[in-house]
Amino acid sequence: MIVTTTSIAAAAGGTYALTRRYLRGESLSKWDADIPTTFETPEPSKEMQGVNDYLASTFTVGESLDAKRERFNSTGLTRDFGCTFKDDTANFGGVSVPGEWTLVDGADSSKRILYLHGGAFTVGSPVSHRPVTSNLAKRTGCVVFTPDYRLMPENPRTASIEDSKASYRWILENGPDGPAAADKIAVGGDSAGGNLTLMLSNWARDAGLRKPDAVVGISPATDGAATGQTVRTNFETDVMLKPLIGPMLKIPHDLLLLGMWRRLGMPPSAKQISPIHDRLHDLPPTLIHVSTAEMLYDDAKRYTNKAQAAGSPVTLQSWSHMCHVWHIFDEMLPEAHHAFDEIATFLKEHGVAK
């Protein structure tokens, strides 16, 4: 057998193409159809400009992980939320996940929300996301459990998946007062937590478990390979994610995918990492919130288009000029309250909210 330079080059090219497809997954560009902006304003409000100024001065490149975690948690320690926060531990299948219930007077403990916090899988906690969980509890009359799932880099990425699954199975049969079956259950999350939320929705279906009665994804990351155009086109307008994503955009995309493959222990396109690459049929009623100005806009839009094409009842509500997960700025943005009202209405329509 004669091996030529041409055949070696062809084999190398074929291997590269297969590896690239394996890491990126199938092309998602066919799900790029525009969806009209739901709540549009001609320009950023004065309040949003104030939030962007805060983000530009606070979310900076080079901040240590410990400092970032402390800063995130300070959000939930410096104000009175008018709620009770109760520590608990989700236990299922040998996995124990500490967490926190958010409770309001008169809440129905049989109506439960499992809320998965964001933070790029490296920061965040039940404490950091009290602005979100308190608003959900007050507006819905549900009890809200937020697991303190294991974070990277001290834990593998799969740890957050295992903890989320265990928390879901536990909350189906346990409330804030102990063992008791849930009458209604919703799952929600933002950003990284939105990724875990949509992963759980797929997984519960495939595992033959009781599906959530409703699902809410806030600015969810759906494509771990980051192939959406808005990762780049919305770089300047997404002040929150800019410091995180900026250094990554300087790396050639294929090299970035190889690095992610090594770090994750699976391809970025794996359905556990990228819920958009799962089959999106037979999903529960799902509401997605996103800003048209954020880098993950394409993640949300593509997920919605693909799910709707598969016949799933997925709705996208978008706001113009908002930051990533603007809901957490409830003390600064009227649009945060608007968004929570929309979520409460959605949950009420599906029997979860009181």
Side-chain angles (χ1 to χ4, degrees):
M1 178 179 179
I2 300 175
V3 179
T4 66
T5 301
T6 301
S7 64
I8 292 174
T15 300
Y16 169 75
L18 287 173
T19 301
R20 191 169 189 262
R21 172 65 182 270
Y22 175 65
L23 298 180
R24 290 170 60 100
E26 67 174 353
S27 174
L28 299 174
S29 60
K30 58 186 172 183
W31 308 118
D32 278 337
D34 287 338
I35 300 176
T37 304
T38 317
F39 304 106
E40 189 164 12
T41 55
E43 58 186 17
S45 66
K46 180 176 66 175
E47 292 85 359
M48 189 63 246
Q49 290 173 351
V51 169
N52 278 336
D53 289 343
Y54 162 78
L55 291 172
S57 64
T58 306
F59 284 64
T60 57
V61 177
E63 183 181 19
S64 73
L65 185 59
D66 287 342
K68 186 179 295 185
R69 288 177 176 175
E70 183 177 354
R71 174 168 57 80
F72 265 64
N73 279 347
S74 68
T75 303
L77 296 172
T78 56
R79 58 187 270 204
D80 180 5
F81 291 94
C83 301
T84 299
F85 300 105
K86 179 182 179 182
D87 292 339
D88 207 342
T89 301
N91 289 291
F92 193 92
V95 178
S96 294
V97 190
E100 177 180 273
W101 289 102
T102 303
L103 308 172
V104 296
D105 291 342
D108 184 346
S109 63
S110 72
K111 296 180 184 292
R112 299 170 195 160
I113 299 173
L114 175 66
Y115 191 81
L116 301 163
H117 70 79
F121 303 103
T122 59
V123 301
S125 71
V127 173
S128 69
H129 280 64
R130 285 175 176 175
V132 178
T133 59
S134 61
N135 274 287
L136 291 176
K138 290 175 182 177
R139 283 175 163 82
T140 64
C142 297
V143 294
V144 183
F145 182 73
T146 308
D148 196 6
Y149 61 81
R150 287 170 287 172
L151 299 175
M152 299 172 67
E154 59 265 49
N155 299 288
R157 173 69 169 80
T158 51
S160 62
I161 297 172
E162 293 170 0
D163 289 354
S164 299
K165 290 179 178 180
S167 297
Y168 179 72
R169 300 192 75 158
W170 176 81
I171 200 175
L172 289 174
E173 300 297 335
N174 294 271
D177 301 317
D183 176 39
K184 294 290 184 178
I185 184 78
V187 180
D190 64 277
S191 195
N195 172 281
L196 294 170
T197 293
L198 300 180
M199 176 278 299
L200 275 181
S201 184
N202 291 328
W203 167 76
R205 175 202 60 208
D206 294 341
L209 296 174
R210 172 182 170 180
K211 293 190 293 186
D213 295 287
V215 172
V216 177
I218 299 172
S219 299
T222 69
D223 174 17
T227 63
Q229 296 180 11
T230 53
V231 172
R232 292 184 180 276
T233 59
N234 283 353
F235 178 73
E236 292 298 336
T237 56
D238 193 334
V239 183
M240 183 183 290
L241 292 185
K242 187 176 180 179
L244 174 67
I245 304 298
M248 297 170 60
L249 292 181
K250 297 177 182 179
I251 303 171
H253 194 239
D254 290 344
L255 290 180
L256 178 64
L257 293 179
L258 286 169
M260 293 170 67
W261 185 17
R262 180 177 180 182
R263 185 182 187 192
L264 296 171
M266 64 182 81
S269 63
K271 64 181 183 180
Q272 301 97 314
I273 302 296
S274 296
I276 195 171
H277 283 299
D278 205 337
R279 298 174 300 157
L280 301 185
H281 69 291
D282 195 25
L283 294 176
T286 301
L287 176 66
I288 306 291
H289 277 187
V290 72
S291 167
T292 60
E294 63 173 296
M295 294 186 204
L296 296 184
Y297 176 59
D298 274 355
D299 278 41
K301 182 177 68 173
R302 287 174 165 185
Y303 180 91
T304 301
N305 283 330
K306 182 177 179 180
Q308 289 179 350
S312 291
V314 177
T315 299
L316 180 74
Q317 289 184 331
S318 56
W319 277 255
S320 58
H321 305 299
M322 290 292 102
C323 63
H324 179 65
V325 193
W326 69 96
H327 307 58
I328 206 163
F329 296 103
D330 63 322
E331 289 191 308
M332 303 173 73
L333 294 174
E335 293 88 350
H337 294 277
H338 181 196
F340 282 123
D341 287 342
E342 293 291 332
I343 292 171
T345 297
F346 169 75
L347 294 179
K348 186 174 293 186
E349 288 173 352
H350 297 287
V352 181
K354 291 177 64 177

